[in-house]
């Protein structure tokens, strides 16, 4: 398997710590809470527009908190002492970011409880004309999460919170947090702000720059040796977890011989040899789905979630003959990206 990604990329290791993979190095992810090994993480390109994302500067143009936030006061999810403390008392921190009207944006950050009982915001989002989030984001004492937010637990008391604004109504997105009304300087800890043009939070993209964006490039894995592929009949089996609906048909496996047609496990129809990998919108880590796909000289069918589709006639669209190479997420064609984690792909040269 040949793998490529022209930038760094982060992942969670077996100890639940966020690590950084160098360019062109695959990422094998783990559940940040249970530490379960998940599989190969594959993501399309994403850009973090938050500046100096680990510091309080990412949230501040002018701070009116008293006392002021303090950087580098707590061990962060990546094991470094780079988290900052949001003081208790009165006031807020806010920084406005320029975005594109009509696009969807997901804002995410990591938080850990100090002596505060909750994370609070005044107007996080689009203050004019809206929508924006106001009030409590999360209450640690009651384990109450504000509607629309997602929460993913990490080690050592950290959690990642994310909120998606669909079809941005304006060009200014305000990243704002308010202080917790408690007489202590260590209200709660914050790390890793990310604002990206996506409909879900992707893996963390650190940005140390105070003036430019940080980009994680899209990933491609390909298989050039397909001598074991039976061109007449065979079975593909995959276990995968898709974070988001993605763009186009979410292809896990594609033929890369440059002709229209593909081997695909995605959420469309059996007529194109697809399986069901529907996104689960209530969690940043949706359940894994098993899909089996078979083909013979005359027909093709799929099985997913205990349901076997009725066979349909095989045609020139699938599978292409010969299959000269395979690509694992994203597809050879434009726009058909799989975005998530693949834990298994197995092939048998018979039905």
């Amino acid at each position: 398997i040949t793998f490529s990604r022209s930038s760094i990329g982060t992942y969670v290791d077996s100890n639940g710590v966020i690590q950084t993979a160098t360019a062109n190095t695959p990422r094998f992810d783990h559940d940040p809470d249970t530490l379960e090994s998940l599989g190969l993480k594959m993501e399309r390109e994403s850009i973090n527009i938050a500046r100096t994302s680990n510091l309080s500067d990412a949230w501040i143009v002018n701070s009116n908190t008293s006392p002021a936030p303090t950087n580098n006061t707590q061990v962060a999810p990546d094991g470094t002492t780079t988290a900052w403390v949001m003081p208790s008392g009165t006031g807020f921190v806010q920084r406005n970011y320029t975005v594109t009207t009509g696009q969807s944006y997901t804002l995410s950050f990591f938080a850990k409880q100090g002596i505060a009982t909750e994370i609070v915001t005044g107007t996080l989002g689009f203050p004019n004309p809206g929508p924006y989030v106001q009030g409590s984001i999360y209450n640690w004492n009651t384990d109450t999460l504000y509607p629309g937010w997602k929460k993913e637990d990490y080690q050592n008391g950290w959690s990642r919170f994310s909120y998606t604004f669909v079809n941005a109504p304006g060009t200014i997105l305000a990243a704002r947090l308010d202080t917790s009304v408690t007489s202590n300087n260590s209200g709660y800890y914050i790390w890793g702000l990310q604002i990206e043009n996506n409909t879900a939070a992707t893996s963390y993209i650190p940005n140390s720059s105070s003036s430019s964006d940080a980009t994680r490039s899209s990933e491609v894995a390909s298989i050039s040796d397909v001598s074991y592929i039976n061109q007449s009949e065979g079975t593909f089996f995959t276990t995968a977890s898709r974070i988001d609906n993605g763009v186009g048909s979410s292809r896990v496996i594609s033929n890369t011989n440059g002709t229209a047609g593909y081997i695909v496990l995605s959420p469309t129809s059996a007529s194109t040899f697809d399986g069901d990998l529907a996104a689960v919108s209530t969690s940043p880590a949706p359940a894994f789905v098993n899909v089996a796909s078979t083909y013979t000289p005359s027909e093709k069918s799929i099985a997913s979630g205990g349901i076997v589709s009725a066979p349909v006639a095989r045609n020139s669209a699938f599978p292409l003959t010969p299959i000269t190479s395979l690509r694992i997420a994203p597809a050879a064609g434009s726009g058909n990206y799989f975005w998530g984690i693949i834990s298994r792909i197995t092939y048998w040269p018979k039905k």
Side-chain angles (χ1 to χ4, degrees):
I1 298 178
T2 302
F3 179 88
S4 66
R5 182 191 61 250
S6 60
S7 70
I8 64 168
T10 62
Y11 64 98
V12 178
D13 71 11
S14 58
N15 294 314
V17 178
I18 294 178
Q19 301 288 356
T20 299
T22 57
N24 300 319
T25 302
R27 301 176 291 163
F28 293 93
D29 214 20
H30 294 75
D31 185 293
D33 184 27
T34 67
L35 306 183
E36 176 188 1
S37 177
L38 299 178
L40 177 66
K41 179 181 281 292
M42 300 293 290
E43 295 178 304
R44 62 177 181 262
E45 179 182 279
S46 192
I47 300 172
N48 185 7
I49 66 173
R51 305 292 191 255
T52 54
S53 57
N54 289 348
L55 304 178
S56 61
D57 306 50
W59 299 82
I60 298 173
V61 171
N62 293 304
S63 170
N64 69 347
T65 62
S66 179
T70 306
N71 288 321
N72 305 321
T73 61
Q74 181 71 208
V75 177
D78 68 347
T80 63
T81 306
T82 52
W84 59 277
V85 60
M86 180 67 174
S88 55
T90 60
F92 64 90
V93 294
Q94 178 175 325
R95 181 165 182 168
N96 295 337
Y97 288 91
T98 301
V99 297
T100 302
T101 302
Q103 300 294 312
S104 294
Y105 289 87
T106 295
L107 181 148
S108 61
F109 62 91
F110 295 82
K112 178 179 180 177
Q113 185 178 19
I115 57 92
T117 58
E118 61 184 349
I119 308 169
V120 182
T121 182
T123 51
L124 185 152
F126 296 89
N128 185 18
Y132 55 82
V133 179
Q134 190 171 50
S136 175
I137 294 174
Y138 178 69
N139 187 300
W140 278 286
N141 288 2
T142 62
D143 192 26
T144 302
L145 186 66
Y146 186 93
W149 284 89
K150 297 177 183 178
K151 174 177 172 283
E152 185 176 24
D153 291 333
Y154 281 66
Q155 299 295 302
N156 302 317
W158 285 98
S159 298
R160 191 184 192 191
F161 298 88
S162 62
Y163 193 96
T164 299
F165 297 91
V166 179
N167 298 327
T171 59
I172 300 298
L173 192 159
R176 170 169 169 162
L177 291 175
D178 287 56
T179 56
S180 176
V181 183
T182 311
S183 57
N184 190 287
N185 289 348
S186 301
Y188 52 90
Y189 301 98
I190 297 294
W191 185 79
L193 176 63
Q194 186 153 301
I195 302 173
E196 55 189 318
N197 182 199
N198 275 315
T199 54
T202 70
S203 60
Y204 178 51
I205 306 169
N207 186 8
S208 59
S209 173
S210 61
S211 59
S212 59
D213 304 335
T215 300
R216 183 197 59 248
S217 302
S218 60
E219 296 166 301
V220 176
S222 59
I223 303 173
S224 57
D225 180 9
V226 292
S227 58
Y228 54 88
I229 296 290
N230 184 340
Q231 304 288 344
S232 297
E233 67 173 290
T235 300
F236 283 91
F237 179 88
T238 186
T239 302
S241 171
R242 200 173 69 162
I243 296 173
D244 180 81
N245 286 326
V247 179
S249 102
S250 183
R251 303 179 185 180
V252 176
I253 312 169
S254 302
N255 197 349
T256 55
N257 67 0
T259 309
Y262 42 83
I263 300 169
V264 60
L265 303 175
S266 77
T268 52
S269 67
S271 62
T272 51
F273 202 70
D274 298 344
D276 180 14
L277 283 175
V280 178
S281 61
T282 57
S283 169
F288 283 82
V289 177
N290 296 321
V291 180
S293 309
T294 67
Y295 61 94
T296 68
S298 60
E299 64 183 25
K300 56 195 177 183
S301 62
I302 63 169
S304 177
I307 300 174
V308 181
S309 71
V312 296
R314 178 177 173 181
N315 53 43
S316 60
F318 176 83
L320 292 173
T321 304
I323 299 173
T324 57
S325 60
L326 293 173
R327 180 173 294 183
I328 302 173
S334 61
N336 297 300
Y337 290 95
F338 172 82
W339 174 14
I341 297 174
I342 302 171
S343 66
R344 177 181 179 181
I345 295 177
T346 305
Y347 172 78
W348 295 272
K350 61 182 180 179
K351 179 177 178 181

